[in-house]
Amino acid sequence: MTIIKCLLFAKVKEVINKGEYIEIELPDTECTTNNLLKHINEQYPQVKDVLSTCLLAINLEFLKRDEDRVIQSTDEVAIIPPVSGG
Amino acid sequence: MRYVLISHEKIDIESCINKVKSDSAGAISSFIGTTRDEFNGKKVIKLEYEAYESMALSEINKVCDTIESKYNDIKHIVIIHRIGDVPVGESSIVIFISSAHRSSSLEAVHYAIDTIKSIAPIWKKEYYSDGSIWKGNCESCHYH
């Protein structure tokens, strides 16, 4: 199994209510961002609605919506809700 | 010179101006975003900002890269975003850019604030007397 650490912010952090990050275990053969999202939705069903409005960032770069990418335990993965800075 | 910062402190406007001053600049252009006391008629009693700091700095630096490559007479750039509690009426973001000629820094400031608002991973929470809500800038909601 591979453990992926996911950084949480703003509304996603509030809804999941587990602190600054969660760790999700993925089978080594299924270590992709789509599977990560699937596991998060299964483990934290309360976040499903807000998660559908979020983008993922891998190592400080946005992933395109619906892009699926292979990830490793060393990647910095973050869930980015719609931003509202400024 | 480029100075990009995410800060918990109140922003010192005077020191921002001093940082971008240059004898070879003919203009200092600026944007100061301040926190409003109402949203759709509801009174806002407090605002709170949160950032994914390392990525926000990276995105803001990309904005600076674009500005410096697009305009060849930019002298200095200062961009500071305040996070944590920001009382109503205080500055949440400041952008100061100096350039040899005014059109470059005026356009660059406009580009910088629009881009930062739509992509920098920073979030604002508004507190009302009857609750609170995480805001989403519409242009960044990934749908509209």
Side-chain angles (χ1 to χ4, degrees):
Chain A
M1 299 293 272
T2 299
I3 294 174
I4 303 290
K5 180 176 168 180
C6 275
L7 304 178
L8 310 175
F9 298 96
K11 192 168 182 183
V12 172
K13 182 165 70 181
E14 237 171 54
V15 171
I16 289 183
N17 197 23
K18 291 278 180 188
E20 304 287 319
Y21 65 90
I22 49 173
E23 291 182 326
I24 302 288
E25 268 191 52
L26 295 177
D28 292 337
T29 52
E30 297 172 19
C31 233
T32 66
T33 49
N34 278 353
N35 275 319
L36 175 72
L37 292 172
K38 194 174 126 218
H39 278 76
I40 295 172
N41 276 325
E42 283 167 6
Q43 288 174 39
Y44 304 97
Q46 73 272 28
V47 82
K48 194 164 185 166
D49 285 349
V50 54
L51 197 59
S52 69
T53 68
C54 294
L55 291 178
L56 284 180
I58 312 293
N59 302 325
L60 309 186
E61 298 288 340
F62 281 110
L63 220 67
K64 289 192 182 69
R65 173 164 293 282
D66 299 328
E67 182 182 347
D68 193 17
R69 195 184 296 176
V70 173
I71 43 177
Q72 303 174 338
S73 59
T74 50
D75 286 326
E76 182 166 316
V77 178
I79 303 171
I80 311 288
V83 302
S84 49
Chain B
M1 188 276 302
R2 183 194 293 186
Y3 184 83
V4 174
L5 185 68
I6 307 285
S7 166
H8 279 87
E9 309 297 319
K10 188 172 179 174
I11 301 170
D12 180 349
I13 304 288
E14 192 71 28
S15 88
C16 294
I17 299 173
N18 287 331
K19 281 190 178 69
V20 296
K21 273 184 181 165
S22 163
D23 288 347
S24 58
I28 296 173
S29 301
S30 65
F31 174 83
I32 301 176
T34 55
T35 48
R36 250 198 321 257
D37 68 349
E38 65 93 31
F39 175 73
N40 280 352
K42 285 178 93 171
K43 182 135 184 79
V44 176
I45 52 176
K46 193 179 93 158
L47 295 105
E48 185 186 315
Y49 284 90
E50 179 180 332
Y52 179 12
E53 286 194 39
S54 51
M55 186 172 170
L57 289 171
S58 161
E59 291 295 331
I60 296 172
N61 272 300
K62 281 186 206 165
V63 168
C64 296
D65 291 343
T66 302
I67 288 170
E68 286 166 352
S69 63
K70 185 171 180 189
Y71 305 101
N72 59 15
D73 64 333
I74 298 290
K75 302 300 174 189
H76 305 301
I77 303 178
V78 168
I79 301 179
I80 303 175
H81 201 302
R82 183 172 172 187
I83 56 169
D85 286 352
V86 180
V88 167
E90 293 193 5
S91 311
S92 50
I93 185 169
V94 301
I95 299 172
F96 285 87
I97 302 178
S98 56
S99 56
H101 306 285
R102 70 182 181 284
S103 62
S104 311
S105 53
L106 280 169
E107 282 176 29
V109 164
H110 196 172
Y111 167 77
I113 185 58
D114 284 0
T115 310
I116 289 166
K117 278 185 89 88
S118 66
I119 59 159
I122 300 172
W123 301 274
K124 174 168 71 176
K125 191 176 191 181
E126 286 182 349
Y127 289 83
Y128 315 106
S129 53
D130 62 346
S132 63
I133 188 170
W134 284 104
K135 309 287 289 182
N137 292 340
C138 196
E139 64 265 40
S140 69
C141 74
H142 316 312
Y143 285 114
H144 300 142

